Amino acid sequence: GENVEQHPSTLSVQEGDSAVIKCTYSDSASNYFPWYKQELGKGPQLIIDIRSNVGEKKDQRIAVTLNKTAKHFSLHITETQPEDSAVYFCAASIRYSSASKIIFGSGTRLSIRP
Amino acid sequence: DVKVTQSSRYLVKRTGEKVFLECVQDMDHENMFWYRQDPGLGLRLIYFSYDVKMKEKGDIPEGYSVSREKKERFSLILESASTNQTSMYLCASLQDGSYEQYFGPGTRLTVT
């Protein structure tokens, strides 16, 4: 079955610097790669996603890259701000008929130092 | 606005008790999911349902069962709670044809 590995488990960066979180997946049939952000006391919320036919996607200060050959994908946050402090999860999904099954990475706790 | 609610934010139960965790979504989504979240392990799928009265085992179904009698409600049942089921439980829903799962705020269950 699909396995998603995520690194690092914790990350501390100075406010204004960039943060990068990396994930690898095992099943080459995976075709959708979402990133979720979980703030304290809340459930995870989708912040950006990328499909298998795209190599890079950007939304303001966040960007995702996908290397299907290497089965790697990454989240990049630039100009980090205190509100970026949260746990981030990568995931890989395979679509089966009308539903999709998502496998999550183990999470990265990102802390932004003032 | 999309909303997934869970019946309790915090729950403390004793070993051997039967525990019900309730999840309700107001988006008319066909698919609903139960995950447990543990430090260093991420989110692991317990059960999911793609239609009323339909259910499928996820990756860690042992010790759990589910019920979906109505489209908007998905219940997770711990038949006989054990201490290793102490965890954060997250419910999510997904519309057919979509990729984005919407999560509830979670229930932190402690079994003593």
Side-chain angles (χ1 to χ4, degrees):
Chain A
E2 175 67 282
N3 182 48
V4 177
E5 293 193 1
Q6 181 172 349
H7 300 280
S9 57
T10 60
L11 180 61
S12 178
V13 300
Q14 194 74 34
E15 183 178 349
D17 288 350
S18 296
V20 180
I21 302 171
K22 298 183 178 183
C23 290
T24 61
Y25 62 98
S26 60
D27 194 332
S28 55
S30 293
N31 53 17
Y32 172 68
F33 306 91
W35 286 87
Y36 283 81
K37 176 183 180 182
Q38 185 178 26
E39 297 176 336
L40 199 61
K42 297 183 179 180
Q45 186 171 10
L46 181 73
I47 54 170
I48 195 166
D49 56 18
I50 191 166
R51 309 272 171 99
S52 59
N53 58 347
V54 176
E56 185 174 354
K57 183 176 178 180
K58 193 171 182 180
D59 182 4
Q60 299 182 346
R61 294 186 299 107
I62 59 174
V64 290
T65 58
L66 172 64
N67 182 331
K68 284 219 77 178
T69 303
K71 297 181 190 170
H72 289 172
F73 57 115
S74 301
L75 176 72
H76 304 252
I77 306 174
T78 59
E79 300 172 20
T80 53
Q81 300 171 4
E83 54 264 35
D84 295 329
S85 293
V87 178
Y88 291 80
F89 293 97
C90 65
S93 175
I94 303 173
R95 196 157 188 85
Y96 301 107
S97 63
S98 63
S100 58
K101 183 178 177 183
I102 291 181
I103 305 298
F104 287 87
S106 54
T108 296
R109 183 174 297 278
L110 174 63
S111 301
I112 308 300
R113 302 191 304 271
Chain B
D1 197 18
V2 165
K3 200 164 185 182
V4 179
T5 56
Q6 295 183 228
S7 51
S8 305
R9 295 300 301 271
Y10 300 94
L11 210 52
V12 180
K13 295 291 181 181
R14 293 194 180 276
T15 300
E17 278 193 85
K18 190 169 185 176
V19 182
F20 292 87
L21 302 182
E22 305 283 343
C23 175
V24 177
Q25 51 99 0
D26 65 358
M27 299 159 285
D28 202 35
H29 286 175
E30 293 79 10
N31 308 282
M32 297 186 74
F33 306 80
W34 275 106
Y35 296 89
R36 64 177 280 176
Q37 180 179 7
D38 300 288
L41 297 177
L43 280 67
R44 293 180 292 165
L45 182 64
I46 305 171
Y47 266 97
F48 68 99
S49 168
Y50 53 88
D51 201 353
V52 175
K53 297 190 185 295
M54 305 303 288
K55 60 186 179 185
E56 292 283 343
K57 291 180 180 180
D59 300 316
I60 51 165
E62 296 79 17
Y64 304 94
S65 62
V66 290
S67 172
R68 190 152 181 221
E69 296 296 318
K70 293 185 178 182
K71 191 176 185 181
E72 67 270 19
R73 188 180 297 269
F74 193 33
S75 302
L76 180 68
I77 303 155
L78 286 66
E79 294 290 341
S80 177
S82 63
T83 54
N84 62 12
Q85 292 178 309
T86 291
S87 186
M88 171 70 84
Y89 290 87
L90 290 162
C91 174
S93 72
L94 171 73
Q95 184 176 34
D96 266 0
S98 174
Y99 286 95
E100 181 176 358
Q101 291 194 12
Y102 292 88
F103 285 86
T107 295
R108 185 165 294 282
L109 172 68
T110 302
V111 183
T112 61

